[in-house]
Amino acid sequence: MHTETIYADSTGDLRAVGEKAADVLRSGQPVALPAETVYGLAADALNPEAVARVFEAKGRPAHDPLIVHIANRDQLRQVADVPEEIEDVLKQLRQEFWPGALTIVLPKTDAVPDSVTSGLPTVAVRMPADPVFRAVLKAFGGPLAAPSANRFGRISPTSAAAVEEELGGRIPLIIDGGASKEGVESTIIKIEHVPNATKPNFHILRPGPVTIEMLKPIGRCKLPGKNRSAEQIKVEAPGQLDAHYAPRTPLRLIEDPADFTPEEGKRYALLTLDGGKKSKMMDAADWEVIEILSPGAGKLPEAAVRFYHLLRKLDGMDVDEIIAEAVPTHGLGIALMDRMRRAAVGSGSAEG
Ligand code: TXA
Ligand code: MG
């Protein structure tokens, strides 16, 4: 299949780009497009054949459900049945974080095909903020299912070039809207109503740009793993237990520099937050290459924007192992550490 790439200037008139994408989507084909988080591979969320093409293009197993992207409240009602007891909280979350990088798991309506939710009674929904994504939603006029636009298990794409590397020849259209603004996938939460409590519980199924610090005023945040069995996590957060975001080159996450001793003759790459004097890793080996996540003053948000790009870059270099240095575990650092851990688990295999 020939893959066409078109450019979208997000500060300009996006109607023509939206219409072109909508034509492809109406024909039941998927379209890769920018989101503020990472690039997505969108398809008509209410058309099972279109959804099947997304799974096929990604090589994604059917048990890993998709996020449904909406443009407005009517579309929210179309895909989700919101229980009365969480209506107020949902309203607060919408007002605070939509459009934006927060995905909320809600009971699904019959309109959503089982293939989108992998047979679950719930659907993950978010309203994206990226102007190109919004223009496509507007032109298409219906909800769009969109996973990240990478082959299953691989590094998420934060540029059109990365999508081309992942899915070129497998999809008809890529919309190039420049680099993703956030750089890591949306935060996914499930709301648990707690009778007689002042606040509900938010189960964080995937940490992301909407941080615990940001969610805390509205609900009590619970990270997975705490008091939850692997089986519970598998049911509530499918696709979140396995290795993900993985480079082909083996990757090791180092939380304590004392744990790392370089082996003679091995070529290592270092991925570090700021490469400053505070980093004990800078002198820990004769690095083949060093990539700094936050060379400016942007710290964790800057690191998130650059993370997948640098991981992909290091994976394309001729080194034996990528050493990722742990980042602080607050704010966006929680999402970064989550991605680094999963990248380490899945790394080093030729197949994924
Ligand atoms: O930022 C993002 O969320 C990007 C952009 C394109 O919007 N999308 C994205 O999709 O990261 P994906 O498919 O790579 O990750 C979606 C994850 C699934 O792996 C699964 O864990 C979770 O969302 N998910 C989807 N539906 C769910 C449900 N009903 N219950 C629990 N988790 C669900
Ligand atoms: Mg993904």
Side-chain angles (χ1 to χ4, degrees), residues 56-103:
E56 193 184 309
K58 283 186 54 106
R60 179 172 174 126
H63 59 74
D64 196 1
L66 307 181
I67 292 173
V68 173
H69 298 71
I70 56 166
N72 52 49
R73 272 180 72 187
D74 285 343
Q75 290 176 4
L76 176 61
R77 279 195 216 101
Q78 211 179 349
V79 301
D81 261 329
V82 180
E84 213 184 299
E85 68 265 22
I86 64 165
E87 261 174 13
D88 287 346
V89 168
L90 184 62
K91 188 173 175 196
Q92 265 180 294
L93 289 170
R94 282 198 285 112
Q95 284 173 345
E96 196 72 31
F97 301 110
W98 280 4
L102 180 69
T103 297

Side-chain angles (χ1 to χ4, degrees), residues 35 37-41 58 60 64-67 69 103 105 116-117 120 122-124 126 133 146-148 150 184-186 188 205-206 235-240 244:
T37 50
V38 301
Y39 271 69
L41 182 63
K58 283 186 54 106
R60 179 172 174 126
D64 196 1
L66 307 181
I67 292 173
H69 298 71
T103 297
V105 174
V116 170
T117 63
L120 290 171
T122 54
V123 61
R126 88 176 182 99
F133 205 139
S148 51
N150 49 279
V184 291
E185 298 82 355
S186 62
I188 306 179
L205 305 184
R206 177 175 71 185
V235 173
E236 289 169 10
Q240 289 298 307
H244 259 94

Side-chain angles (χ1 to χ4, degrees), residues 4 14 32 41 56 61 75 100 132-133 196-197 200 219 224 237 244-245 256 268 278 292 322 334 340 351-352:
E4 186 188 357
L14 292 165
L41 182 63
E56 193 184 309
Q75 290 176 4
V132 177
F133 205 139
N196 304 320
H244 259 94
Y245 323 111
D256 179 355
Y268 293 100
K278 272 196 287 181
I292 296 173
I322 299 167
I334 295 179
M340 285 182 182
E351 297 307 316

Side-chain angles (χ1 to χ4, degrees), residues 144-163:
L144 293 171
S148 51
N150 49 279
R151 298 288 287 268
F152 179 67
R154 292 287 176 206
I155 303 170
S156 301
T158 50
S159 68
V163 177

Side-chain angles (χ1 to χ4, degrees), residues 24-242:
V24 175
L25 292 165
R26 279 185 207 111
S27 76
Q29 291 292 329
V31 172
L33 79 186
E36 68 277 32
T37 50
V38 301
Y39 271 69
L41 182 63
D44 181 348
L46 307 183
N47 175 353
E49 277 162 41
V51 171
R53 291 203 177 93
V54 168
F55 280 90
E56 193 184 309
K58 283 186 54 106
R60 179 172 174 126
H63 59 74
D64 196 1
L66 307 181
I67 292 173
V68 173
H69 298 71
I70 56 166
N72 52 49
R73 272 180 72 187
D74 285 343
Q75 290 176 4
L76 176 61
R77 279 195 216 101
Q78 211 179 349
V79 301
D81 261 329
V82 180
E84 213 184 299
E85 68 265 22
I86 64 165
E87 261 174 13
D88 287 346
V89 168
L90 184 62
K91 188 173 175 196
Q92 265 180 294
L93 289 170
R94 282 198 285 112
Q95 284 173 345
E96 196 72 31
F97 301 110
W98 280 4
L102 180 69
T103 297
I104 305 173
V105 174
L106 296 164
K108 83 179 214 31
T109 62
D110 291 340
V112 182
D114 285 334
S115 55
V116 170
T117 63
S118 304
L120 290 171
T122 54
V123 61
V125 191
R126 88 176 182 99
M127 191 184 282
D130 184 280
V132 177
F133 205 139
R134 295 180 68 79
V136 174
L137 274 170
K138 186 164 184 202
F140 180 67
L144 293 171
S148 51
N150 49 279
R151 298 288 287 268
F152 179 67
R154 292 287 176 206
I155 303 170
S156 301
T158 50
S159 68
V163 177
E164 170 68 41
E165 249 176 68
E166 292 287 323
L167 299 174
R170 303 176 70 90
I171 57 172
L173 183 63
I174 300 173
I175 306 177
D176 184 346
S180 303
K181 313 276 173 303
E182 303 269 14
V184 291
E185 298 82 355
S186 62
T187 306
I188 306 179
I189 67 165
K190 190 167 188 171
I191 306 167
E192 181 197 355
H193 171 68
V194 186
N196 304 320
T198 48
K199 283 182 196 169
N201 288 337
F202 293 156
H203 297 281
I204 315 274
L205 305 184
R206 177 175 71 185
V210 173
T211 62
I212 291 174
E213 288 87 340
M214 291 157 78
L215 289 165
K216 226 164 42 182
I218 308 179
R220 273 177 230 285
C221 295
K222 312 263 181 204
L223 276 165
K226 296 207 173 118
N227 309 320
R228 297 165 98 71
S229 68
E231 203 43 49
Q232 262 175 315
I233 295 174
K234 214 174 210 160
V235 173
E236 289 169 10
Q240 289 298 307
L241 261 192
D242 312 322

